Amino acid sequence: MDVISCTGLTKKFGRVTAVDDLSFTVAQNRITGLIGPNGAGKTTLLKIIAGFMRASSGQVTVFSKNPFNSLKAASNMVFIDESMKFPPSLSLADIMLSASVFYKNWDMELARGLFDYFSFKAGQYHSGLSKGMKSTFNVIIGLAARCALTIFDEPTSGMDAGVRKDFYRALLRDYLQKPRNIIFSSHLLNEVDDVLEDILLLDGGKKRLQLPVSELKEFAAALRGRNEVIAELTAGQEIYYRKRMGEEHCYAVLRRDAAEGVLKKSGAAVEILPVKADDLCVYLTDGKR
Amino acid sequence: MSLTEAGLFEVVKSQYLYKMKSRLGLFLSMAGMQVMGLLFSLGGVMSFSMGSQYIDLSVRYFSSDLVITFTFIWLFVVAVLTTTKEYQNIDFTFIANRLSSNLSNAAFLATAALFGAFTAMLSGFLLRIIVYFKSGGYLLSQNFIAVPADVFTGIAVTLAYLLLIGSLGYFCGVLAQRSKVFIVLLGGLLFGLLVLAGRGYRLPAIFKAFEFFRLETSLALLALKVILAAALFYACSIVLSDRLEVR
Amino acid sequence: MQIAEWLENEILCGNIKENEKMYSQYQLSEMFNINPATAAKGINILADQGILYKKRGLGMFLSASAREKIQYKRKNRTLKKLVEEAAAEAGRLGVGEDELIAMLREAKKGLDEREK
């Protein structure tokens, strides 16, 4: 059974189309990365999935139900982002206690462990935390809630590199113990690609790619050679990215199978080079503009 | 991971308890308002004096009406505040849908009304005690010793009005959240009424609606009227906010 | 695939013996902080090459000829490629055949000494 399923999902804000005719499904118990440049529609999509926003047209189901106003979807979902609001009168310890009342699968041991590990104090207030500490506290809530659908919208903003690594490790460890559906949005892939299983690449509200990370790493290759040779060889192929190298040489990124086919024809006149997954994501989105 | 099933009642209960726990500060502000009302009441609500060569007579009436009025204002403000984006986002941090959010708000406002009614009535006793010790003259004690039945009626009537005001404030807040036009409209209406009333005009017939409650002499009927009206306001709020986008 | 390579090294060093149980995808996931699906891919690469075999319900085990298979593969692919690259670089630098062989001997000797 698919956990999330979207067909022709569109969301407009006035004249601006944030999510544009998007169709995809997410299978059970995976960590999916939602990747795309700023303004790609990641947050809007996640808020529709979370049931906070309504779609302008198209369909979305979460656990086979429309998430908007669904208590079933809401009670199995936790949405973590940097603008999470907590009552200003409650201390961090009180907030965790309250969260445990709401979430049936809440794991206080895990929450306390992470709380101490990241050296929070029970009497601190959320409003008194720095940006990075806020993010860290929010992800503790997200992990300890142990919801069947856990959504992290750019959860690491403001965190130190070390804390981010610790968070990824905690996330993976807890996922291994309690496999569940995790969606993780980020505008950059490089740091999170080890953690992810699948990638959904968005650009301008549209789906650019959806595939396992391991396939993304093999998805494209680059050819390097003389301008005219590359131009001739790649005629009719979709070029994701092209860069001039000096006067006579250039560098072109295309699908790996296409690149390998081209290489057979050309012999030694061009070189084939691997393309890193995060570079490819940038080429597939920003690079074309 | 297996899915959990949460019933509406359970979620509303969790939200209600969360609100009670996190909004204790609001009750402090209520106490503050009531103390202020009490201080204003200490001078007496009405006084007159007369004197002749041998006698100097001055009479002052004391009443805790002002405390009750301040409690009304407090609850109205709290009801409007409850509908703001800030409070709503706090609701949707944890499990909620629009219905559960509205219902738990209604339950919270009802509790606030109950607290308000009790403390406002009790402040009447406080006022009596203060006046008793402070006044140097004779205390002509009409109602000085309260009859339990009267105290109960007082609390019940205050509670009824507070419930009504809470639901009305909440409805106004939801309208304002729905569209900023309503803020202007509601503000204009209130201001216009004040001006009209100030100039001694008779209020338009529609505001006779208040008479519907004010002239009711049976407590049971008043309770029924209030409950129906509050239910109507909350129902309208629920319908209006059912498709609202959050966070 | 880095995981597959790391596992091969473990086998070559003798840290896992023939017919012993292989690390599970979950153990690898935890050791390397990678998604278990990615770890499973690494294991599957070795299984496809016959280095590992599956016991139903028990997991992956090292096949009897695992070491030879890895040695054979590495010799014929990795080592050969490295040597070819070394030869090509030597050609570009004008390093002669004897000198290249001498350099290899030197490197080998250095390694052996360090191991003692």
Side-chain angles (χ1 to χ4, degrees):
Chain A
M1 190 199 77
D2 290 325
V3 176
I4 300 170
S5 155
C6 294
T7 26
L9 189 69
T10 302
K11 176 68 183 176
K12 289 181 177 159
F13 296 105
R15 281 188 181 171
V16 182
T17 306
V19 173
D20 192 359
D21 196 20
L22 195 60
S23 300
F24 69 94
T25 58
V26 174
Q28 277 274 354
N29 292 347
R30 296 188 174 207
I31 306 182
T32 304
L34 185 61
I35 310 292
N38 294 329
K42 303 186 295 285
T43 297
T44 307
L45 174 62
L46 292 178
K47 285 188 174 171
I48 293 173
I49 290 172
F52 297 154
M53 287 182 174
R54 263 175 299 133
S56 304
S57 62
Q59 290 220 315
V60 55
T61 60
V62 175
F63 307 122
S64 322
K65 286 216 163 130
N66 181 351
F68 193 77
N69 260 345
S70 155
L71 217 48
K72 186 189 174 196
S75 52
N76 287 291
M77 188 276 307
V78 62
F79 186 99
I80 305 300
D81 66 354
E82 61 173 327
S83 58
M84 272 179 102
K85 289 276 184 301
F86 297 101
S89 59
L90 294 191
S91 69
L92 298 184
D94 280 338
I95 292 172
M96 294 207 299
L97 213 57
S98 297
S100 73
V101 174
F102 280 93
Y103 294 105
K104 287 199 176 140
N105 294 331
W106 177 266
D107 186 332
M108 195 50 108
E109 205 180 316
L110 173 71
R112 291 238 171 84
L114 290 169
F115 193 78
D116 293 339
Y117 179 83
F118 289 113
S119 30
F120 285 103
K121 303 274 171 291
Q124 278 177 302
Y125 288 87
H126 198 261
S127 54
L129 299 176
S130 70
K131 195 180 172 206
M133 290 289 270
K134 269 185 190 147
S135 296
T136 311
F137 180 76
N138 295 352
V139 300
I140 293 177
I141 297 283
L143 288 178
R146 290 230 161 122
C147 284
L149 176 59
T150 306
I151 299 177
F152 290 110
D153 187 17
E154 304 262 358
T156 58
S157 59
M159 282 188 204
D160 294 341
V163 177
R164 285 207 295 271
K165 281 218 171 95
D166 286 338
F167 161 56
Y168 297 139
R169 191 161 59 226
L171 173 81
L172 259 177
R173 185 170 295 172
D174 203 53
Y175 169 75
L176 288 174
Q177 267 181 34
K178 295 267 171 191
R180 52 198 195 256
N181 310 288
I182 297 174
I183 303 187
F184 198 115
S185 90
S186 174
H187 57 280
L188 287 176
L189 178 65
N190 58 359
E191 216 173 74
V192 287
D193 63 348
D194 278 344
V195 176
L196 305 177
E197 179 167 356
D198 287 330
I199 276 186
L200 176 61
L201 184 64
L202 283 191
D203 187 28
K206 286 187 189 306
K207 181 168 89 176
R208 199 73 182 81
L209 273 183
Q210 187 187 15
L211 74 184
V213 179
S214 53
E215 282 175 36
L216 182 71
K217 287 177 178 167
E218 307 285 315
F219 185 78
L223 293 175
R224 188 165 66 190
R226 296 183 68 82
N227 285 334
E228 63 277 8
V229 182
I230 298 282
E232 192 194 318
L233 288 173
T234 59
Q237 307 281 5
E238 191 188 354
I239 307 287
Y240 299 134
Y241 175 73
R242 189 197 295 275
K243 186 174 67 176
R244 290 168 57 96
M245 306 187 74
E247 282 297 296
E248 290 169 351
H249 292 78
C250 73
Y251 173 93
V253 176
L254 60 165
R255 278 185 80 107
R256 174 168 285 272
D257 44 8
E260 280 170 353
V262 160
L263 199 67
K264 279 196 189 113
K265 281 192 278 175
S266 69
V270 289
E271 274 181 286
I272 188 162
L273 305 160
V275 176
K276 282 199 287 183
D278 52 331
D279 287 338
L280 178 63
C281 285
V282 174
Y283 297 154
L284 285 171
T285 52
D286 297 345
K288 293 191 95 180
R289 293 191 198 122
Chain B
M1 191 173 273
S2 62
L3 298 184
T4 61
E5 281 293 344
L8 178 64
F9 177 74
E10 213 176 325
V11 173
V12 171
K13 196 179 96 188
S14 307
Q15 281 189 283
Y16 169 74
L17 292 175
Y18 185 44
K19 280 169 194 184
M20 288 305 294
K21 185 171 154 189
S22 61
R23 296 184 191 172
L24 283 174
L26 286 178
F27 289 100
L28 277 181
S29 73
M30 176 189 78
M33 286 287 274
Q34 291 181 338
V35 167
M36 212 156 74
L38 205 58
L39 290 177
F40 280 122
S41 309
L42 283 180
V45 283
M46 228 202 312
S47 65
F48 66 88
S49 48
M50 55 184 187
S52 68
Q53 208 174 349
Y54 307 104
I55 303 171
D56 204 4
L57 181 70
S58 113
V59 178
R60 279 198 278 173
Y61 290 89
F62 294 94
S63 147
S64 62
D65 285 355
L66 204 57
V67 178
I68 294 175
T69 311
F70 275 27
T71 309
F72 286 174
I73 295 171
W74 170 79
L75 192 72
F76 187 83
V77 172
V78 167
V80 173
L81 270 181
T82 303
T83 62
T84 54
K85 199 114 187 108
E86 182 78 15
Y87 278 93
Q88 201 180 42
N89 284 346
I90 290 175
D91 272 14
F92 282 86
T93 292
F94 296 140
I95 300 167
N97 70 1
R98 285 141 199 87
L99 183 59
S100 74
S101 170
N102 278 316
L103 290 178
S104 59
N105 281 337
F108 169 77
L109 289 174
T111 313
L114 194 63
F115 270 92
F118 261 102
T119 49
M121 281 316 288
L122 292 181
S123 74
F125 289 105
L126 190 60
L127 183 66
R128 284 179 176 90
I129 293 167
I130 297 172
V131 168
Y132 178 79
F133 284 112
K134 261 193 64 184
S135 67
Y138 289 96
L139 216 53
L140 291 173
S141 57
Q142 190 186 22
N143 282 334
F144 186 74
I145 308 295
V147 188
D150 285 352
V151 176
F152 173 75
T153 313
I155 291 179
V157 173
T158 313
L159 174 63
Y161 280 113
L162 279 169
L163 285 175
L164 193 65
I165 285 170
S167 63
L168 177 69
Y170 194 73
F171 178 65
C172 292
V174 168
L175 277 181
Q177 286 299 312
R178 210 36 228 232
S179 166
K180 301 294 165 221
V181 177
F182 286 111
I183 299 179
V184 180
L185 274 179
L186 290 171
L189 196 67
L190 191 68
F191 186 71
L193 283 178
L194 284 177
V195 170
L196 279 181
R199 288 187 178 176
Y201 281 95
R202 289 186 47 185
L203 294 179
I206 188 166
F207 296 101
K208 291 281 160 62
F210 290 116
E211 310 275 283
F212 176 66
F213 299 103
R214 201 172 67 83
L215 299 180
E216 181 56 61
T217 49
S218 151
L219 186 60
L221 277 181
L222 177 71
L224 186 70
K225 282 177 176 179
V226 163
I227 288 170
L228 284 180
L232 184 71
F233 278 130
Y234 283 122
C236 290
S237 305
I238 288 170
V239 171
L240 278 173
S241 61
D242 198 47
R243 295 177 61 74
L244 207 67
E245 299 193 325
V246 293
R247 276 182 85 169
Chain C
M1 201 68 191
Q2 292 135 320
I3 291 296
E5 219 174 280
W6 183 84
L7 288 173
E8 284 181 5
N9 287 344
E10 284 290 281
I11 296 167
L12 287 176
C13 298
N15 288 346
I16 310 167
K17 304 255 168 12
E18 272 88 19
N19 293 317
E20 274 184 10
K21 194 176 181 319
M22 191 52 171
Y23 299 106
S24 74
Q25 66 181 104
Y26 303 105
Q27 285 171 314
L28 289 173
S29 165
E30 215 168 338
M31 283 157 71
F32 290 96
N33 280 323
I34 52 169
N35 191 291
T38 313
K41 283 241 159 65
I43 295 172
N44 285 337
I45 290 175
L46 299 192
D48 289 346
Q49 295 169 356
I51 294 167
L52 303 177
Y53 65 94
K54 193 178 201 162
K55 274 193 194 170
R56 272 191 185 274
L58 293 173
M60 289 294 199
F61 286 75
L62 212 59
S63 67
S65 54
R67 278 176 68 106
E68 289 92 272
K69 274 184 177 144
I70 297 168
Q71 279 166 348
Y72 179 82
K73 183 182 76 177
R74 290 262 186 116
K75 224 187 260 176
N76 282 283
R77 288 197 207 141
T78 322
L79 187 59
K80 205 171 156 201
K81 203 170 153 201
L82 284 172
V83 170
E84 276 170 6
E85 271 171 33
E89 182 69 8
R92 279 194 284 271
L93 298 173
V95 173
E97 207 178 297
D98 294 338
E99 199 181 340
L100 182 61
I101 291 168
M103 279 172 84
L104 276 174
R105 280 211 184 97
E106 193 81 8
K108 179 85 174 74
K109 217 168 88 187
L111 265 182
D112 288 348
E113 265 165 25
R114 232 182 293 158
E115 264 172 31
K116 278 174 211 161

